[in-house]
Coordinates of all heavy atoms in Angstrom, one line a residue:
S1 N -0.6 -4.7 -10.5 CA -0.3 -3.4 -11.1 C -1.2 -3.1 -12.2 O -1.1 -2.1 -12.9 CB 1.2 -3.3 -11.6 OG 1.3 -4.4 -12.6
G2 N -2.2 -4.0 -12.4 CA -3.1 -3.9 -13.5 C -4.5 -3.4 -13.2 O -5.4 -3.5 -14.0
G3 N -4.7 -2.9 -12.0 CA -6.0 -2.3 -11.6 C -6.5 -2.9 -10.3 O -7.4 -2.2 -9.7
L4 N -6.1 -4.0 -9.8 CA -6.6 -4.6 -8.6 C -5.9 -3.9 -7.4 O -5.0 -4.5 -6.9 CB -6.5 -6.1 -8.5 CG -7.5 -6.8 -7.6 CD1 -7.6 -8.3 -7.9 CD2 -7.1 -6.6 -6.1
G5 N -6.4 -2.8 -7.1 CA -5.8 -2.0 -6.0 C -6.5 -2.0 -4.7 O -6.0 -1.6 -3.7
F6 N -7.7 -2.6 -4.7 CA -8.6 -2.8 -3.6 C -8.4 -4.2 -3.1 O -9.2 -5.1 -3.4 CB -10.0 -2.4 -3.9 CG -10.9 -2.0 -2.7 CD1 -10.8 -0.8 -2.2 CD2 -11.7 -3.0 -2.1 CE1 -11.6 -0.5 -1.0 CE2 -12.5 -2.7 -1.0 CZ -12.5 -1.4 -0.5
T7 N -7.3 -4.5 -2.5 CA -6.7 -5.9 -2.4 C -7.7 -6.8 -1.6 O -8.3 -6.5 -0.5 CB -5.4 -5.9 -1.6 OG1 -4.5 -4.9 -2.2 CG2 -4.7 -7.2 -1.5
D8 N -7.9 -8.0 -2.2 CA -8.6 -9.1 -1.5 C -7.7 -9.8 -0.5 O -6.9 -10.6 -0.9 CB -9.1 -10.1 -2.6 CG -10.0 -9.4 -3.6 OD1 -10.9 -8.7 -3.2 OD2 -9.8 -9.6 -4.8
T9 N -7.8 -9.3 0.7 CA -6.8 -9.7 1.7 C -7.2 -10.9 2.5 O -6.5 -11.8 2.9 CB -6.4 -8.7 2.6 OG1 -7.6 -8.1 3.2 CG2 -5.7 -7.5 1.9
G10 N -8.5 -11.0 2.9 CA -8.9 -12.0 4.0 C -8.2 -11.4 5.3 O -8.3 -10.3 5.6
N11 N -7.6 -12.4 6.0 CA -7.0 -12.1 7.3 C -5.5 -11.6 7.0 O -4.7 -12.4 6.7 CB -7.0 -13.3 8.2 CG -6.6 -13.0 9.6 OD1 -5.7 -12.2 9.8 ND2 -7.3 -13.5 10.5
K12 N -5.3 -10.3 7.2 CA -4.0 -9.8 6.9 C -2.9 -10.3 7.7 O -1.7 -10.3 7.4 CB -4.0 -8.3 7.0 CG -5.1 -7.6 6.1 CD -5.1 -6.1 6.4 CE -6.1 -5.4 5.4 NZ -7.5 -5.8 5.7
S13 N -3.1 -10.8 8.9 CA -2.1 -11.3 9.8 C -1.4 -12.6 9.3 O -0.3 -12.9 9.8 CB -2.7 -11.6 11.2 OG -3.6 -12.7 11.2
V14 N -2.0 -13.2 8.3 CA -1.3 -14.4 7.7 C -0.5 -14.1 6.4 O 0.0 -14.9 5.7 CB -2.2 -15.6 7.4 CG1 -2.9 -16.0 8.8 CG2 -3.4 -15.2 6.4
I15 N -0.5 -12.8 6.1 CA 0.3 -12.4 5.0 C 1.7 -11.9 5.5 O 1.8 -10.9 6.1 CB -0.4 -11.2 4.2 CG1 -1.7 -11.6 3.7 CG2 0.5 -10.7 3.1 CD1 -2.6 -10.5 3.2
G16 N 2.7 -12.7 5.1 CA 4.0 -12.4 5.6 C 5.1 -12.3 4.5 O 4.7 -12.2 3.4
G17 N 6.3 -12.3 4.9 CA 7.4 -12.4 4.0 C 7.4 -11.2 3.0 O 7.1 -10.1 3.4
L18 N 7.8 -11.5 1.8 CA 7.8 -10.5 0.8 C 6.5 -9.9 0.3 O 6.4 -8.7 -0.1 CB 8.6 -11.1 -0.5 CG 10.0 -11.3 -0.3 CD1 10.6 -12.1 -1.6 CD2 10.8 -10.1 -0.1
A19 N 5.5 -10.7 0.6 CA 4.1 -10.1 0.3 C 3.8 -8.9 1.2 O 3.4 -7.9 0.8 CB 3.0 -11.2 0.5
R20 N 4.1 -9.2 2.5 CA 3.9 -8.1 3.5 C 4.9 -6.9 3.2 O 4.5 -5.7 3.3 CB 4.1 -8.6 4.9 CG 4.0 -7.5 6.0 CD 3.7 -8.1 7.3 NE 2.4 -8.6 7.4 CZ 1.3 -7.9 7.9 NH1 1.4 -6.6 8.2 NH2 0.1 -8.5 7.9
D21 N 6.0 -7.2 2.7 CA 7.0 -6.2 2.4 C 6.5 -5.3 1.2 O 6.7 -4.1 1.2 CB 8.3 -6.8 1.9 CG 9.4 -5.7 1.6 OD1 9.9 -5.1 2.5 OD2 9.7 -5.6 0.4
F22 N 5.8 -6.0 0.3 CA 5.2 -5.2 -0.9 C 4.2 -4.2 -0.3 O 4.2 -3.0 -0.7 CB 4.5 -6.1 -1.8 CG 3.7 -5.4 -2.9 CD1 4.3 -4.9 -4.0 CD2 2.3 -5.3 -2.7 CE1 3.5 -4.3 -5.0 CE2 1.5 -4.7 -3.6 CZ 2.1 -4.1 -4.8
Y23 N 3.3 -4.6 0.6 CA 2.3 -3.7 1.1 C 2.9 -2.7 2.1 O 2.3 -1.6 2.2 CB 1.2 -4.5 1.8 CG 0.4 -5.3 0.7 CD1 0.7 -6.7 0.7 CD2 -0.4 -4.8 -0.2 CE1 0.0 -7.5 -0.3 CE2 -1.0 -5.6 -1.2 CZ -0.8 -6.9 -1.2 OH -1.4 -7.7 -2.2
H24 N 4.0 -3.0 2.7 CA 4.8 -2.0 3.4 C 5.3 -0.9 2.5 O 5.3 0.3 2.8 CB 5.9 -2.6 4.2 CG 6.9 -1.7 4.8 ND1 6.5 -0.8 5.8 CD2 8.2 -1.5 4.5 CE1 7.6 -0.1 6.1 NE2 8.6 -0.4 5.3
R25 N 5.9 -1.3 1.4 CA 6.4 -0.4 0.4 C 5.3 0.5 -0.1 O 5.5 1.7 -0.4 CB 7.2 -1.1 -0.7 CG 8.5 -1.7 -0.2 CD 9.1 -2.6 -1.2 NE 10.3 -3.2 -0.8 CZ 11.6 -3.0 -1.3 NH1 11.7 -2.2 -2.3 NH2 12.6 -3.6 -0.8
I26 N 4.2 -0.1 -0.3 CA 3.0 0.8 -0.7 C 2.7 1.8 0.3 O 2.4 3.0 0.1 CB 1.7 -0.1 -0.9 CG1 1.9 -1.0 -2.2 CG2 0.5 0.7 -1.0 CD1 1.9 -0.3 -3.5
Y27 N 2.7 1.4 1.6 CA 2.5 2.3 2.7 C 3.5 3.4 2.7 O 3.2 4.6 2.8 CB 2.6 1.5 4.0 CG 2.6 2.3 5.3 CD1 1.4 2.7 5.9 CD2 3.8 2.7 5.9 CE1 1.4 3.5 7.1 CE2 3.8 3.5 7.1 CZ 2.6 3.9 7.6 OH 2.6 4.6 8.8
M28 N 4.8 3.1 2.5 CA 5.8 4.1 2.5 C 5.6 5.1 1.3 O 5.9 6.3 1.4 CB 7.2 3.4 2.4 CG 7.5 2.6 3.6 SD 7.4 3.5 5.2 CE 8.7 4.7 4.9
H29 N 5.1 4.6 0.2 CA 4.9 5.4 -1.0 C 3.8 6.5 -0.6 O 4.0 7.7 -0.9 CB 4.4 4.6 -2.2 CG 3.8 5.5 -3.3 ND1 4.6 6.1 -4.2 CD2 2.5 5.8 -3.6 CE1 3.8 6.7 -5.1 NE2 2.6 6.5 -4.8
Y30 N 2.8 6.1 0.1 CA 1.7 7.0 0.4 C 2.0 7.9 1.6 O 1.2 8.7 2.1 CB 0.4 6.3 0.6 CG -0.2 5.9 -0.8 CD1 -0.2 4.7 -1.3 CD2 -0.7 6.9 -1.7 CE1 -0.6 4.3 -2.5 CE2 -1.2 6.6 -2.9 CZ -1.2 5.3 -3.3 OH -1.6 4.9 -4.6
Q31 N 3.3 7.7 2.3 CA 3.7 8.6 3.3 C 4.2 9.9 2.7 O 4.4 10.9 3.3 CB 4.7 8.0 4.2 CG 4.2 6.8 5.0 CD 3.0 7.1 5.8 OE1 3.0 8.0 6.7 NE2 1.9 6.4 5.6
K32 N 4.5 9.9 1.3 CA 5.2 11.0 0.7 C 4.0 12.0 0.3 O 3.1 11.6 -0.4 CB 5.9 10.5 -0.5 CG 7.1 9.5 -0.2 CD 7.7 8.9 -1.5 CE 8.7 7.8 -1.2 NZ 9.3 7.2 -2.4
P33 N 4.3 13.3 0.5 CA 3.3 14.2 0.1 C 3.1 14.3 -1.4 O 1.9 14.5 -1.9 CB 3.9 15.6 0.6 CG 4.8 15.2 1.7 CD 5.4 13.8 1.3
E34 N 4.1 14.0 -2.2 CA 4.0 14.0 -3.6 C 3.1 12.9 -4.2 O 2.7 12.9 -5.3 CB 5.3 14.0 -4.3 CG 6.2 12.8 -4.0 CD 7.2 13.1 -2.8 OE1 6.7 13.8 -1.9 OE2 8.2 12.4 -2.7
A35 N 2.8 11.9 -3.3 CA 1.9 10.8 -3.8 C 0.5 11.2 -3.9 O -0.4 10.6 -4.6 CB 2.0 9.5 -2.8
W36 N 0.1 12.3 -3.1 CA -1.2 12.8 -3.1 C -1.4 13.9 -4.0 O -1.2 15.1 -3.7 CB -1.6 13.1 -1.7 CG -1.5 11.9 -0.8 CD1 -0.4 11.5 -0.1 CD2 -2.4 10.9 -0.6 NE1 -0.6 10.4 0.7 CE2 -1.9 9.9 0.3 CE3 -3.8 10.7 -1.1 CZ2 -2.6 8.8 0.7 CZ3 -4.5 9.6 -0.6 CH2 -3.9 8.7 0.2
V37 N -1.8 13.7 -5.2 CA -1.8 14.7 -6.3 C -3.2 15.3 -6.4 O -3.4 16.5 -6.4 CB -1.4 14.0 -7.7 CG1 -1.5 15.1 -8.7 CG2 0.0 13.5 -7.5
Q38 N -4.2 14.4 -6.5 CA -5.6 14.9 -6.7 C -6.4 14.9 -5.4 O -7.6 15.2 -5.4 CB -6.4 14.0 -7.7 CG -5.8 14.1 -9.1 CD -4.8 13.2 -9.5 OE1 -4.6 12.1 -8.8 NE2 -3.9 13.4 -10.5
Q39 N -5.8 14.5 -4.3 CA -6.5 14.4 -3.0 C -5.5 14.5 -1.9 O -4.4 14.1 -2.0 CB -7.1 13.0 -3.0 CG -8.0 12.7 -1.8 CD -8.7 11.4 -1.9 OE1 -8.1 10.4 -2.5 NE2 -9.9 11.2 -1.4
K40 N -6.0 15.1 -0.8 CA -5.1 15.2 0.4 C -5.2 13.9 1.1 O -6.2 13.2 1.2 CB -5.6 16.4 1.2 CG -5.4 17.8 0.7 CD -6.0 18.8 1.6 CE -5.7 20.2 1.0 NZ -6.3 21.3 1.9

């Protein structure tokens, strides 16, 4: 939450559990139109 938003993932298929849930919640955030303020 401190600026590292361009995630260093490596192979995403080995990211599971709550870590994957975090990135799923990020995905759901950006499904909302109101998340896109300065850009479509």
Side-chain angles (χ1 to χ4, degrees):
S1 61
L4 202 164
F6 202 83
T7 308
D8 301 312
T9 54
N11 191 319
K12 298 176 179 67
S13 65
V14 299
I15 300 173
L18 290 171
R20 179 163 287 270
D21 181 73
F22 171 83
Y23 296 104
H24 168 67
R25 289 172 183 243
I26 291 289
Y27 171 87
M28 295 304 294
H29 169 79
Y30 285 105
Q31 297 305 302
K32 302 173 184 176
E34 58 267 29
W36 300 92
V37 179
Q38 291 90 20
Q39 186 177 28
K40 293 181 180 179

